[in-house]
Amino acid sequence: MCGITGVINIVSKEPLNVIVQRMNLAIAHRGPDADGIFFENNIALGHRRLSIIDTSDAGNQPFYSSDQNIVVVFNGEIYNYLELKQELAQEYQFKTSSDTEVIIAAYLKWGEKCVEHFIGMFAIAIFDKIENKTIIFRDRLGIKPIYFFHKENGIAFASEIRSLMASKLFEPKISKKGFIQYLKYQTVHTPNTILDGVQMLKPGHFIVANNDGIAIQKYWSLEEQCLDSTQMEREEVKRNVREILESAVEMRMRSDVPFGAFLSGGIDSSIIVGLMAKKSAHQVKTFSITFNEEEYDEGKYSRLIAEKYNTDHTEIKLSAGDFLNLVPDAINAMDHPSGDGPNTYVVSKVTKEKGVKMTLSGLGGDELFAGYDVFKRLHALDQKKWLASTPKAIRGAVGSAVMWMKPNVAGEKISELLKSSELKLDPAYKLSRQVWMDKSIGKMIKKFDAKNQYDFPFEELEPEENGVISYVSKREMSSYMMDVLLRDSDQMSMAHALEIRVPFIDHRLVEFILKQNDAVKFPHSPKELLVDACSDVIPREIVDRKKMGFTFPWAIWMKNELKPYAEEGLDALCKLDFINGDQVKVYWQEFLNGSQMITWSRMWPLVVLGHWMKKNGIGQ
């Protein structure tokens, strides 16, 4: 796990290596173990290293082929590097035990198609001197980020948006389109970002940059994963799930440094720890945050798993107040604004302080195995297609009645859905993830045009026959998981130079699960298919427990301890020229007065963005 930077074919008064050195410095937290730059003519590539595999200096980057014609900077891990190394050994003489050298050998054999052979999480830049081109790859599911902007025929890229800002090659300005997406979904969806002109490379895509400019190509697509026409028996599906997941866990345990696992005591993290224990010859290290307050504490469940598998278990005991005190630090560490993230910041901080550089996480289990309520809700909606034939006027009247009887956020969303012209799954899904509704956004944004859709940057996707669960999985993985959970995991863990690995987001497992029909994977009980596939790993006490997660009293904090901090953030936000600051203050007062419509989850993303702007000197 590291950080990468680069500037290609951009005319500047400063030498490109000076610019890249400044970009490297801005992400020094990602890689405290080594710093390197390649510079030649009109290209400079930079790297900050967090050494996990082959910790010797031989694994430092930029990494060069033996003839010096191929240069690589790389963030992430290629988990199947040992298998690839064995396959490539007859044609390439390896000098190190690093996975980076395997990338060079694979590129020399397969060219741009090398990426199709990788199992891992990665952002890779390869400069080919002979072809005079640079290829920038992002992994299939967007686990590792790559931000970029292009200027004429040139491009600058980096693992973090703050690194791009440090280049000083452009003036950072808030994107109105990105801001409206942020209001709607507490994040900005790929390929957009919060900054005008700055993009994020889509998962499963790569950039080719040369003297003619840049071109973006696709090598894998989540949306194109579809249902298999031939249905497997459920027992065969379970066997495959178990085999692929075991392989995913085993590969992600490859490390030359101390590692462990986050253990919340939920289904996903418990299964990961159980499989780790079965695959490891050593005692597994596990880390859990526990709380003095019983209503937040999941300690008894994590202890149950730790005792079952005799892990080297560390409980980091906090109070809600301890967590509260770390919130400003978490926001300050944020690279791209998000309505979430402090939880990951806290657990990463305390885990790294225990001497661990890498950890496994259960992230992705909910999205892949239907762990959220939205899966069942949309499946039920799909069974009620007859509602679409009801005249819109009648549905509108029912929607108004719902809003009158249930004047809160949930009622507002049901009302919006009933009033929509079509009762399709795409509008229903978007509403499920929407934070602010268009009507409220229109009051906050000057010259807001609701017809100009600031929406998910995806083509409309309706489910294949009998495939509502797969449909929701695709939507969750390509929006909430990628642009909230994975982005937050990367930026909050790397703020402490901690690598997080996510076995559930192995593309082999994703491809397999998405091909199975709803009859096989409908969650009659919590994540039923996953639990059945791992029934010998996870005790029923974990499966049957009430799902908790972090449920801190954010509304109370924002009205008391965090009130000055929140108002400082909102004041900074209101300085944007397209914001109606008076309306933002009206909403804030309604929140303070206890409005059921203006909840803490609607106001908090605004507070975060304001502080992010202030920290980065944007719009001030």
Side-chain angles (χ1 to χ4, degrees), residues 536-555:
D536 60 319
V537 175
I538 184 168
R540 289 306 307 183
E541 297 98 312
I542 300 298
V543 178
D544 297 334
R545 58 165 288 198
K546 182 180 178 181
K547 189 168 183 175
M548 289 176 61
F550 287 90
T551 54
F552 293 132
W554 285 98

Side-chain angles (χ1 to χ4, degrees), residues 570-587:
L570 294 175
D571 286 344
L573 182 75
C574 289
K575 293 179 181 179
L576 285 173
D577 57 8
F578 56 78
I579 290 288
N580 182 349
D582 290 340
Q583 184 61 49
V584 172
K585 292 173 183 177
V586 166
Y587 285 145

